[in-house]
Amino acid sequence: MAKKVEEVAVTRHEDSGEASRPLRVPAVDIEEQTDEYVLTAEMPGVARDGAEVTVEEGVLLLRGRTRQDVDPEPEHVEFHAGDFERRFRILPDIDPGRIAASMKDGVLTVRLAKQEKAKVKKITVESSE
Amino acid sequence: MALLPKRRTSDEERGWLFPELWSSPFGDFWRALDLSGWREGQLTPTINVAETDDAVTVTAELPGVTPAEIEVTVEGDVLTIHGEKNEEKEEKGKSYHRIERRYGSFSRSIHLPSSVQSDKVKASSKDGVLTVEIPKREDAKPKKIKIDVK
């Protein structure tokens, strides 16, 4: 089965002026259902107003901003409270006008509805007699 | 309690005359921390540990885990964070294109230093990050002596 949502190279935003904050790549699950794709991305520490989802020229951009006020500086560090970013290319069977996103417990859920034509249509074969 | 990490020997126990240069009053805490905590078939949440004059704060990343699914316990001087990370099931003819997230039970145990009040642990969870705060004992807090400049 061909992948309908594929990843585009993840790039750092050097021009954002925040080069000191590490950029993290969120772990992502993508599942396909009959009429939509559901993408979930793990972004711990990102609140609802810190999440950003945009579609531009067929590229879905997921961004999550963590709170800046990380205090105090940890002495034992296993994770860095940086921002999250990841891009995916979306193929034509996704309707860019029907993408919905929600944030809960540090997980961003994006629902991408399929174009009407991408759904399998059942055509009744009528008898000619 | 075979699953729990063994406390590493301190400089004193090793009989060393000079402790490490960077030893702080709480220095032994960092050596005593269990940094692995790994068990087969279980997820190990990543943690950060920060220390202020008043408290030791442990933060753990638990995306997709609701506060009700997290259990924080203290037994002796061992703090344990554990629970179950469940996948939201939507059974209706789905197939996966990408699976990177991991699900299942998670557990992490760390030794607490003797400088904290392990009976006064406070835990809260927000946006998939668990914060456990353990206040220090009064006598373990650094004392400030103000010197009048004449």
Side-chain angles (χ1 to χ4, degrees):
Chain A
M1 192 189 294
K3 272 185 189 169
K4 297 289 191 286
V5 187
E6 8 173 87
E7 197 174 352
V8 169
V10 178
T11 53
R12 271 177 185 276
H13 276 250
E14 305 294 351
D15 56 333
S16 66
E18 291 180 58
S20 57
R21 276 170 76 78
L23 211 50
R24 303 170 72 187
V25 179
V28 164
D29 280 3
I30 300 173
E31 59 182 70
E32 182 179 353
Q33 295 176 358
T34 322
D35 48 3
E36 64 177 357
Y37 297 93
V38 181
L39 182 154
T40 52
E42 295 191 339
M43 298 182 172
V46 176
R48 195 169 64 90
D49 57 8
E52 189 189 316
V53 179
T54 54
V55 183
E56 200 183 334
E57 289 174 6
V59 174
L60 175 77
L61 170 63
L62 314 175
R63 263 192 191 148
R65 294 190 147 268
T66 50
R67 284 183 299 276
Q68 302 276 343
D69 55 326
V70 180
D71 58 335
E73 195 61 38
E75 273 152 86
H76 170 72
V77 179
E78 290 176 5
F79 65 89
H80 294 277
D83 295 333
F84 294 89
E85 192 175 300
R86 200 156 175 187
R87 287 152 202 262
F88 293 92
R89 185 173 295 282
I90 54 170
L91 287 189
D93 77 322
I94 288 170
D95 185 347
R98 289 195 296 145
I99 298 175
S102 61
M103 192 82 205
K104 188 178 177 286
D105 296 320
V107 175
L108 173 70
T109 301
V110 185
R111 292 180 173 273
L112 308 109
K114 288 182 188 174
Q115 304 263 23
E116 288 300 319
K117 62 180 182 193
K119 289 188 202 165
V120 178
K121 284 200 184 96
K122 221 176 193 174
I123 295 141
T124 317
V125 179
E126 287 171 48
S127 169
S128 57
E129 287 175 33
Chain B
M1 302 298 274
L3 296 169
L4 295 174
K6 282 201 182 103
R7 188 185 279 274
R8 294 189 201 158
T9 40
S10 68
D11 287 324
E12 287 80 0
E13 285 162 339
R14 281 195 211 101
W16 290 4
L17 195 56
F18 301 103
E20 287 173 71
L21 272 178
W22 51 85
S23 278
S24 73
F26 317 105
D28 199 45
F29 171 49
W30 309 113
R31 281 194 292 277
L33 260 178
D34 161 40
L35 303 184
S36 58
W38 187 83
R39 277 169 65 187
E40 203 178 339
Q42 248 187 353
L43 303 179
T44 306
T46 51
I47 60 165
N48 282 355
V49 186
E51 183 185 343
T52 61
D53 289 349
D54 300 319
V56 169
T57 306
V58 180
T59 47
E61 291 196 306
L62 298 166
V65 184
T66 63
E69 291 169 328
I70 307 168
E71 210 173 287
V72 179
T73 57
V74 177
E75 199 178 329
D77 67 342
V78 176
L79 170 78
T80 301
I81 296 161
H82 68 108
E84 188 88 14
K85 182 178 172 183
N86 296 309
E87 193 174 359
E88 284 167 40
K89 295 272 183 209
E90 287 185 54
E91 303 289 353
K92 43 171 185 174
K94 66 176 182 184
S95 60
Y96 281 97
H97 288 260
R98 192 178 287 268
I99 304 175
E100 296 169 355
R101 301 176 59 197
R102 295 185 64 203
Y103 305 91
S105 63
F106 59 87
S107 183
R108 190 78 195 257
S109 296
I110 62 166
H111 274 295
L112 294 173
S114 56
S115 59
V116 299
Q117 306 179 71
S118 50
D119 56 335
K120 289 186 180 163
V121 175
K122 273 196 290 183
S124 62
S125 180
K126 191 174 178 291
D127 302 326
V129 177
L130 171 75
T131 304
V132 183
E133 198 177 279
I134 314 113
K136 284 184 184 169
R137 285 201 328 266
E138 285 305 318
D139 60 350
K141 292 179 185 176
K143 285 170 188 63
K144 268 188 194 153
I145 300 161
K146 197 167 182 269
I147 297 158
D148 290 325
V149 180
K150 287 180 182 168

